[in-house]
Amino acid sequence: MTPPPSGPVCAGASTAALGHVPYPSFSSYVRARGPVLLRTARSLTANPCDAEDLLQTALAKTFVAWERIEDHRALDGYVRRALLNTRTSQWRKRKVDEFVCEELPEPAGLPEPDPAERQVLHDAMWRAVMKLPERQRQMVVLRYYEDLSEAQTAEVLGVSVGTVKSAVSRALGKLREDPELTPVR
């Protein structure tokens, strides 16, 4: 591995001023280092064709800056940075495709329970709710059957939100302990 260059890479000076011209032209550099750079590009993409396009874009950027690159020993690093920056830009710009379809795909889930079993569960739950004290029953019905918020339930019943929270918590505790609902868990 060669040590990194000691001076700036792009300083606007010509390569002749350095007295060191390992690549007399851009095309000679590409011919000499192309296969190595292509391997680097392939490591950044999953598709070999995309890797070739990525390398082509990075080399185009390098060609534009060719006269400004002072130290030609650092060309590989310059191109690798161009490859990485280009790939990052492509990744950020990628478009997420959405396709319109006539039917929504249904998630593969559990099969629908038997309607008779659902009715048995519904009846057992309602019997358990009817066993609750009247105030707790009112709050549970408003919160979970009518789908009101705690604040809305408190407003309807004329109590504080804290009262609703504590009463509903006690009511749910009683429902959890109800022996008729035990097999459901």
Side-chain angles (χ1 to χ4, degrees):
M1 179 176 246
T2 59
S6 58
V9 175
C10 293
S14 69
T15 56
L18 283 173
H20 181 267
V21 185
Y23 300 108
S25 68
F26 178 75
S27 58
S28 66
Y29 170 73
V30 172
R31 274 193 300 277
R33 301 299 296 162
V36 172
L37 296 171
L38 183 58
R39 280 195 304 270
T40 303
R42 283 187 179 153
S43 71
L44 295 173
T45 64
N47 184 337
C49 295
D50 290 342
E52 291 174 5
D53 291 343
L54 179 63
L55 178 59
Q56 195 77 359
T57 304
L59 288 174
K61 290 177 181 180
T62 304
F63 178 74
V64 170
W66 184 258
E67 294 300 318
R68 293 188 318 244
I69 300 174
E70 189 174 299
D71 186 359
H72 279 211
R73 293 174 298 176
L75 281 171
D76 282 356
Y78 186 91
V79 175
R80 283 189 188 105
R81 176 49 62 185
L83 283 167
L84 194 59
N85 290 346
T86 302
R87 182 65 184 138
T88 302
S89 295
Q90 290 171 345
W91 177 80
R92 286 181 180 151
K93 291 178 189 175
R94 79 176 190 266
K95 183 174 102 176
V96 176
D97 293 328
E98 292 182 18
F99 300 99
V100 178
C101 60
E102 291 184 25
E103 294 181 30
L104 291 176
E106 295 299 324
L110 299 173
E112 278 292 315
D114 181 28
E117 290 177 14
R118 290 186 71 196
Q119 187 61 45
V120 168
L121 176 61
H122 181 270
D123 291 344
M125 180 59 84
W126 191 247
R127 280 192 303 276
V129 168
M130 293 305 290
K131 292 179 195 174
L132 294 173
E134 183 179 349
R135 195 66 150 175
Q136 288 180 0
R137 184 174 58 245
Q138 290 172 345
M139 291 183 193
V140 167
V141 168
L142 290 173
R143 280 286 290 129
Y144 298 105
Y145 283 88
E146 297 296 324
D147 201 28
L148 296 181
S149 69
E150 290 168 342
Q152 291 168 328
T153 302
E155 185 178 330
V156 167
L157 295 175
V159 296
S160 70
V161 174
T163 302
V164 172
K165 287 181 180 183
S166 63
V168 167
S169 175
R170 284 191 305 274
L172 292 177
K174 288 180 183 178
L175 291 174
R176 284 187 200 101
E177 295 172 2
D178 192 299
E180 198 173 346
L181 297 177
T182 303
V184 175
R185 288 184 235 149

